[in-house]
Amino acid sequence: MKSLMIQGTSSGSGKTTLVAALCRIFSDKGYSVAPFKSQNMSNFGYITPDFEISRAQAIQAFGARCEIMPDLNPILLKPVGNYSSVVYLNGKRFKKMHAKEYYEKFVNTEGMKLASKSLKTLQKNFDLVIMEGAGSPAEINLQKYDIANMKIAKKANANVLLVTDIDKGGSFASLAGTMALIEKHYQKLVKGFIFNKFRGDIDVLKPGFKKLKNLTNVPVIGTIPLISLNLPEEDSLNSNPKDIVWNKKNIKKIDNELNKLSKIVKSNMDITSIEKMLQ
């Protein structure tokens, strides 16, 4: 199977939860599935005596019902202020790096090698790898340092679904603008759009879907309603995440929420079309 990648028009668009839902959906279909995010910036980790990765990939692994391992998130950046982060590689603390050093000296050399190695390991050992992008692929100031969006999608031979948060407004412009700013040789990787956090009458949106496809040649394959979930949040926009204890009780709660999430996503997305993309 080909790999699948979820990218977003912005941070907070819903990439993390959508990957978790798709991991559960395809696990329920009998595939062996693993999530993957080459680089994650978060101060909230899943910590074991042997390694630490972002807790987002750990939760996605619960969705996939796969082993939680460093390859799921080979690069973790823990911000410490003054444009610096503590860098974890393969789950182990590496060193503190300033953003300039990280981007200009590390990302396109050791960083990409490390991410590519983990990705290849997962692709070898699982039927399906569902990848999560970071931020937006249209951040044109950072495209030459891209390690988490289109470059890694290309390396994975992955089809890309682009998700946008319609609750914030401006979603049609965000999708069209993102497509316009993605480098042309990567545009063909984008196979579908997803509107997330929608509330209202979908018939009001449908004329816009047709116009959007005419502009971009990319169809809308899902409109996910705004739902309330009791899943641990990442320390990103508009959230105040708390540490959690990874005991059986809390893992069971997460599992129940993932089941709830996956049912809603499955009923509001064209899963059949996604399966065809993966053949």
Side-chain angles (χ1 to χ4, degrees):
M1 297 180 78
K2 285 189 174 183
S3 295
L4 180 69
M5 189 170 200
I6 307 300
Q7 297 185 19
T9 58
S10 67
S11 295
S13 59
K15 297 183 292 290
T16 302
T17 52
L18 186 54
V19 169
L22 289 169
C23 282
R24 178 54 55 93
I25 288 167
F26 282 97
S27 175
D28 285 344
K29 285 179 170 288
Y31 298 102
S32 63
V33 188
F36 175 78
K37 186 166 185 175
S38 55
Q39 170 198 285
N40 203 343
M41 180 174 282
S42 174
N43 277 316
F44 288 81
Y46 178 87
I47 304 170
T48 78
D50 300 315
F51 66 86
E52 178 176 358
I53 64 171
S54 168
R55 74 179 184 190
Q57 276 61 68
I59 291 168
Q60 290 165 350
F62 290 136
R65 302 185 177 97
C66 76
E67 179 187 352
I68 300 173
M69 63 191 99
D71 283 323
L72 306 183
N73 174 214
I75 303 173
L76 172 63
L77 306 177
K78 302 184 80 171
V80 292
N82 295 320
Y83 308 106
S84 296
S85 295
V86 176
V87 181
Y88 285 70
L89 305 180
N90 285 328
K92 304 288 188 181
R93 181 181 172 126
F94 177 50
K95 67 176 182 177
K96 178 181 174 182
M97 297 179 75
H98 189 275
K100 186 173 183 179
E101 178 188 4
Y102 178 77
Y103 283 119
E104 295 185 358
K105 296 183 179 180
F106 179 80
V107 162
N108 287 325
T109 54
E110 295 306 310
M112 185 57 80
K113 288 179 184 177
L114 186 73
S116 298
K117 184 178 179 181
S118 289
L119 175 62
K120 287 179 181 177
T121 298
L122 295 177
Q123 289 181 313
K124 179 181 177 181
N125 294 323
F126 292 87
D127 297 329
L128 174 61
V129 179
I130 303 181
M131 307 163 66
E132 180 185 344
S136 163
E139 292 167 349
I140 55 178
N141 57 314
L142 296 175
Q143 282 175 339
K144 66 179 179 179
Y145 305 120
D146 174 26
I147 193 174
N149 289 304
M150 286 300 177
K151 282 185 182 177
I152 201 77
K154 181 71 173 178
K155 283 183 175 290
N157 190 29
N159 287 318
V160 175
L161 303 180
L162 189 61
V163 60
T164 185
D165 177 358
I166 194 171
D167 193 47
K168 292 178 181 175
S171 284
F172 288 103
S174 295
L175 289 166
T178 297
M179 288 299 294
L181 291 176
I182 292 172
E183 294 164 287
K184 290 190 181 300
H185 58 286
Y186 292 137
Q187 291 176 0
K188 63 184 179 181
L189 298 179
V190 181
K191 304 298 185 182
F193 294 145
I194 301 163
F195 285 80
N196 192 30
K197 305 179 188 177
F198 177 67
R199 40 185 167 183
D201 183 354
I202 194 170
D203 287 333
V204 176
L205 284 183
K206 287 181 178 177
F209 292 170
K210 293 179 181 178
K211 291 180 180 180
L212 188 62
K213 186 175 182 182
N214 288 337
L215 284 169
T216 63
N217 202 33
V218 177
V220 174
I221 64 167
T223 305
I224 313 302
L226 182 66
I227 53 179
S228 176
L229 288 171
N230 188 22
L231 285 172
E233 292 184 273
E234 283 282 67
D235 51 332
S236 57
L237 297 175
N238 302 318
S239 63
N240 295 293
K242 299 177 181 178
D243 284 316
I244 62 171
V245 178
W246 300 99
N247 56 29
K248 289 183 179 180
K249 181 179 178 181
N250 284 333
I251 290 172
K252 179 64 176 176
K253 287 181 180 178
I254 290 170
D255 194 65
N256 289 337
E257 289 297 296
L258 289 168
N259 282 331
K260 173 185 171 182
L261 171 65
S262 66
K263 287 178 183 177
I264 294 170
V265 170
K266 185 178 180 181
S267 64
N268 289 281
M269 281 187 64
D270 188 349
I271 301 298
T272 301
S273 289
I274 295 175
E275 282 190 283
K276 289 178 181 177
M277 293 176 195
L278 302 176
Q279 302 308 315

